[in-house]
Amino acid sequence: MAQNTQSSAAPPAGNEGSNTLGISPPLSLNGATERGEIVLTVLLVSSKAFKMWLVVLSVPLLPAFVMVSSRYCVNVAALCHRALAWVLRLVRGRVCVRSTHAFVFSKCTHGKVDSVLETFDLYADTHPSLCISPQIGEALDKVVRRVCPSRVLELGMHCGYGSVRLLRLLPSSGRLITVELDPLTAELGEEIILVAGFKHSQFQVSTSSSAEAILTLRSVLELNQEAGEGLNLVLMDHDPQQYLPDLLALEREELLCPSGCSILLIYRNQRAGDLREILSYISARADCYCIKSKLQFMTEIFYQK
């Protein structure tokens, strides 16, 4: 019995040292090391050859590279800055009104309008923000200086950036009505306006929809219809789908100054298609409307009865 067990456990003749499962034995350590050294040598030689060819090809292009770099270094730096800012905004996620307010409130110099605006821009460089860009802000400034409005309506507050920008250019007797649907945004935006140094006698925040606010504007502004008083400037920076309904409501309530009113339409992300409906209406009403200017993110239309 012991002999049978012993004979069955012994390996078959002619197969001594082989793997009964058909798996090849592993390479010896010396063989693997030799092959690794060969591969490493080939890679090093290839890398050196590539670097040599790269140098050979780059030398003739060096003067052109230096000239382009010296000429466009500012543009390259700006492009890198924008790319970094975009990545940071993407990583940090959605717009946060509380975060915007906290940053501006803590970093700006209270009572200094320019400091408030610069801090807004600094925040928007690296965080998601609904504030208009400095480029749109400069275009807005030009319109305000040209129109010299005394009564301004802002639809869409966005934590107070546009409000501060507008108020700093209004005359001492000027008045701004800013409308914001979200109560928290309206509250924090109003605080930022006060931080910038403006008084409640210069502005009023309406926490409501644009449609509701328009119905109360005549009494709020104390307009004299017989004297032809009305809004000299309207900034629409809320929902583009509401631009045309709100313009029609302003007409019905006779809130636009008959002698002339500039209406600024803001659109973001180059979505000019959002304005198609209102621009079609403007084109059909050539008797009292015209397009004054058309920029990348802002269109100015002019109303005169």
Side-chain angles (χ1 to χ4, degrees):
M1 190 72 179
Q3 289 181 353
N4 292 338
T5 305
Q6 194 174 19
S7 62
S8 62
N15 290 331
E16 291 183 4
S18 66
N19 192 327
T20 57
L21 296 178
I23 301 176
S24 301
L27 292 172
S28 66
L29 182 61
N30 291 337
T33 304
E34 289 176 0
R35 292 191 179 187
E37 290 177 352
I38 294 172
V39 171
L40 181 60
T41 303
V42 171
L43 289 175
L44 289 174
V45 172
S46 301
S47 176
K48 289 180 180 178
F50 174 75
K51 290 178 180 178
M52 290 178 62
W53 276 107
L54 188 62
V55 171
V56 171
L57 293 173
S58 300
V59 168
L61 298 175
L62 188 59
F65 177 77
V66 172
M67 183 183 68
V68 171
S69 298
S70 61
R71 185 173 181 181
Y72 297 105
C73 59
V74 176
N75 293 338
V76 172
L79 182 61
C80 293
H81 175 76
R82 289 181 183 178
L84 177 60
W86 179 82
V87 171
L88 289 172
R89 287 194 298 268
L90 184 65
V91 170
R92 286 171 175 166
R94 299 178 61 185
V95 174
C96 178
V97 176
R98 289 186 185 276
S99 174
T100 306
H101 171 271
F103 185 91
V104 175
F105 189 88
S106 61
K107 301 291 184 181
C108 75
T109 302
H110 289 209
K112 300 291 184 180
V113 176
D114 291 338
S115 174
V116 171
L117 294 177
E118 289 169 4
T119 310
F120 263 117
D121 294 337
L122 181 63
Y123 178 87
D125 274 346
T126 54
H127 295 76
S129 174
L130 290 175
C131 299
I132 59 177
S133 67
Q135 293 78 14
I136 300 178
E138 291 171 6
L140 174 62
D141 291 350
K142 291 179 181 179
V143 175
V144 176
R145 290 190 178 100
R146 170 167 46 82
V147 175
C148 298
S150 58
R151 296 179 182 87
V152 180
L153 172 65
E154 179 189 30
L155 301 177
M157 192 176 188
H158 305 316
C159 213
Y161 179 87
S163 307
V164 171
R165 192 134 203 160
L166 288 165
L167 279 166
R168 83 191 208 286
L169 296 177
L170 295 186
S172 56
S173 60
R175 186 94 183 277
L176 169 70
I177 305 297
T178 180
V179 180
E180 174 56 49
L181 180 61
D182 179 57
L184 176 62
T185 302
E187 179 185 349
L188 298 180
E190 183 173 4
E191 187 171 6
I192 290 297
I193 296 173
L194 295 172
V195 163
F198 298 105
K199 300 177 181 178
H200 279 115
S201 59
Q202 298 171 276
F203 72 96
Q204 180 173 330
V205 178
S206 175
T207 307
S208 65
S209 68
S210 54
E212 293 171 337
I214 288 172
L215 295 177
T216 65
L217 280 180
R218 179 163 294 282
S219 59
V220 170
L221 291 171
E222 299 177 349
L223 298 177
N224 186 342
Q225 189 172 356
E226 295 180 357
E229 294 179 342
L231 295 166
N232 311 113
L233 180 66
V234 177
L235 175 62
M236 293 190 177
D237 190 19
H238 53 318
D239 180 6
Q241 301 299 321
Q242 286 296 121
Y243 285 4
L244 181 56
D246 288 342
L247 180 62
L248 296 175
L250 290 169
E251 282 186 40
R252 284 195 304 270
E253 298 296 320
E254 297 182 334
L255 294 170
L256 304 177
C257 184
S259 60
C261 177
S262 288
I263 300 141
L264 302 178
L265 311 174
I266 304 295
Y267 51 98
R268 303 169 187 275
N269 302 321
Q270 298 183 348
R271 294 178 59 185
D274 291 341
L275 305 183
R276 189 177 295 111
E277 190 177 14
I278 189 170
L279 292 180
S280 297
Y281 174 77
I282 299 303
S283 300
R285 293 291 309 278
D287 57 318
C288 57
Y289 284 106
C290 69
I291 297 178
K292 194 85 172 178
S293 64
K294 205 169 186 180
L295 304 177
Q296 187 178 10
F297 296 108
M298 184 179 79
T299 296
E300 178 188 1
I301 61 178
F302 184 72
Y303 168 86
Q304 189 172 32
K305 195 170 182 179

